[in-house]
Amino acid sequence: IAEDRMLPTFDLHVTLTAADAFDPPEKIGLASLTGEELRDGGTQDLTPEELDERVEFLAANLFSGIGETSGSAGVSLLSKDIDAGLDLLMSVLRYPRFDENRFRLAKERQLQNIKRRNDSTAQIEGTEWAFLMNGENHFSNWYPTPSTLNSVTREDMIAFHHKYVHPGNMIVAVAGDFDRAEMLKKLEKAFADWPAGEKSPKTFPKPEFEPKAGVYVIQKDDVNQGRVTVGHRGVMRGTPDEFALQVMNGILGASGFRSRLVAKVRSDEGLAYNTGSMFGQGIYWPGNFRAWFQSKSNSCAYATRIVLDEIARLKTEKVSQADVDDTVNYYVESLPQRFESKLAVLETYTSDEYTGRDTKYWQTYVENLKKVTPDDVQRVAQKYLHPDQLVILAVGDAEAIVTGGYDKAKDLHFDAFGPIKRLPLRDPETMRR
């Protein structure tokens, strides 16, 4: 809870231990539908239309949703309407109506979205990359199908809500123009007679799948650019090398125009507008290292060669002190954005509490970044970058991507990186081949 008298506003955000991961396999989509219908399906005392009118009258933002490993809900409005906003949110969370008509419309929207799963190369790339990293059976790659959506009933949502949406599964963050003592009384009153149910686990299974190095190409018709992702398995958050890895990845592709990939692929060669990298440090299972770009089909092989060369260079050539200093400064200069308001501060610490991050992490963040040396960067590059384990995925005009023929490398074809494995598009309804 944090007083913030700068503006006459009020924000209350709730983090929920409710997740897509809790869906029964035959009812995938239940959690997301429940999260959506908490807000959209009305309350015990208000029809969906009446709830919408009330929110509009208060000029409020009332929201709810459930994602892969957590859920959220909240309300934002003028501080003069705190009582009304708090009442609305509590009604949505505690007494959802789950209106049958709104429920039907929500399912219809999701069924329409299923049909559009293969519409864009970005969506195809993101989906396929997740399968290549985590396999077909991990819950992070469970997708609703018409069958699983149609099996979800209003009674299923009621049961899901009863099991997972209660004070024992909530972290509440409140910021705005109010008196702290008075706000604590309001919150105590709002939650006083709502029993805390059994806490749900915040642990989720790791993928049993091991990524298979190789070159994968997927055909997408009617596009003149290809999307390419290169990478492999990353690490868990909290590794002793996490700050050295952050700086290494910043030098490679995560520090904007200062990074090597942006400088080389975009600025020097003009091959891509969007390029970069990340070295995932996962919370519940190892994250993924990946570098990416989007380029004209015939230049994808050339741009991929540049990306692979830059990855290799980090292992063989020590970076300069200036590279390290510039990257550390980039992260230090970006840090205030995470704490630009009292609400942002609360959301950061709420997320850390939910995921179990060390409470001293941000107090020592800058200090730990500044400890990183060029030797550290080369050491972690040699330890954690594995060119022999790279998964290379290209999506677009497959023939043009594979053929290459870019002016600066006419003889460079995509099979220079390994035997090509052509993958058919997944069926949008089943997400299977």
Side-chain angles (χ1 to χ4, degrees), residues 147-223:
S147 174
T148 65
L149 285 175
N150 286 324
S151 74
V152 175
T153 66
R154 179 175 180 273
E155 287 69 32
D156 292 327
M157 292 195 298
I158 292 171
F160 189 98
H161 168 263
H162 178 74
K163 184 174 183 179
Y164 296 111
V165 183
H166 55 74
N169 271 347
M170 293 181 182
I171 302 174
V172 179
V174 191
D177 179 21
F178 52 72
D179 176 79
R180 178 185 175 88
E182 289 183 8
M183 179 53 61
L184 285 171
K185 290 178 182 177
K186 291 179 187 294
L187 293 173
E188 290 288 352
K189 181 180 179 181
F191 285 93
D193 63 344
W194 190 357
E198 182 180 351
K199 290 186 178 182
S200 302
K202 292 180 187 174
T203 56
F204 301 94
K206 299 179 180 180
E208 296 181 0
F209 178 84
E210 285 298 324
K212 297 176 177 60
V215 182
Y216 304 86
V217 176
I218 298 178
Q219 171 68 28
K220 175 69 171 80
D221 295 333
D222 303 322
V223 294

Side-chain angles (χ1 to χ4, degrees), residues 97-113:
R97 177 181 292 239
F98 294 126
D99 178 80
E100 285 279 12
N101 187 51
R102 287 290 180 95
F103 175 41
R104 177 181 58 79
L105 292 173
K107 280 209 281 192
E108 288 178 359
R109 280 197 303 273
Q110 290 212 21
L111 289 170
Q112 290 301 315
N113 289 338

Side-chain angles (χ1 to χ4, degrees), residues 269-334:
E269 297 286 350
L271 295 171
Y273 179 77
N274 179 19
T275 184
S277 69
M278 64 176 292
F279 201 104
Q281 303 189 31
I283 298 168
Y284 305 109
W285 59 87
N288 298 317
F289 162 64
R290 58 184 290 257
W292 67 85
F293 63 84
Q294 182 177 7
S295 188
K296 290 182 180 179
S297 301
N298 73 334
S299 60
C300 282
Y302 183 57
T304 301
R305 177 79 276 159
I306 293 172
V307 170
L308 297 182
D309 287 347
E310 291 301 326
I311 292 171
R313 185 155 76 101
L314 282 169
K315 294 172 69 72
T316 59
E317 180 183 305
K318 187 187 296 186
V319 301
S320 69
Q321 186 64 51
D323 285 337
V324 172
D325 291 343
D326 285 349
T327 304
V328 169
N329 288 338
Y330 170 82
Y331 288 120
V332 172
E333 290 164 6
S334 303

